[in-house]
Amino acid sequence: SKLGKFVVLGGSSGVRDNISIGDGTKLGAASNLAQSVGPGELLLGTPAKDAKNALREVLGISKLPDMIKRVKKLEKKISELESKGNGE
């Protein structure tokens, strides 16, 4: 792999063979980079991706348990309304 100037690799991060990392790129701790990236990137996760998108994914995943509960309640209400509509 070829590292540019002022590249920062966080602790326990990994970089695949035969890729290039542009000047000033930062790879977060425990992230794994599998493809070449240009200069000035801020990357997180496994596989490494743009930090903004990686953080959005983490936030979205943390909301899943509440969303599942809400969907189940809505499904129950829909089922009750359908039952009433069929004269049951």
Side-chain angles (χ1 to χ4, degrees):
S1 295
K2 180 181 176 186
L3 275 62
K5 296 177 183 177
F6 307 108
V7 169
V8 176
L9 300 176
S12 297
S13 62
V15 177
R16 197 188 82 194
D17 292 339
N18 302 315
I19 63 172
S20 296
I21 303 175
D23 295 345
T25 292
K26 295 177 179 91
L27 182 63
S31 297
N32 291 298
L33 187 59
Q35 61 188 20
S36 293
V37 293
E41 300 277 345
L42 177 57
L43 306 165
L44 300 173
T46 300
K49 56 188 84 165
D50 175 69
K52 187 175 181 180
N53 290 331
L55 292 172
R56 271 193 192 137
E57 286 180 14
V58 170
L59 181 60
I61 289 169
S62 70
K63 292 181 179 182
L64 282 177
D66 184 52
M67 290 174 68
I68 291 169
K69 289 177 189 174
R70 292 173 60 196
V71 167
K72 286 182 179 181
K73 284 182 183 179
L74 290 170
E75 287 175 334
K76 184 177 177 181
K77 282 186 177 185
I78 290 170
S79 180
E80 290 170 359
L81 289 171
E82 287 176 341
S83 294
K84 288 181 183 178
N86 291 331
E88 294 179 16

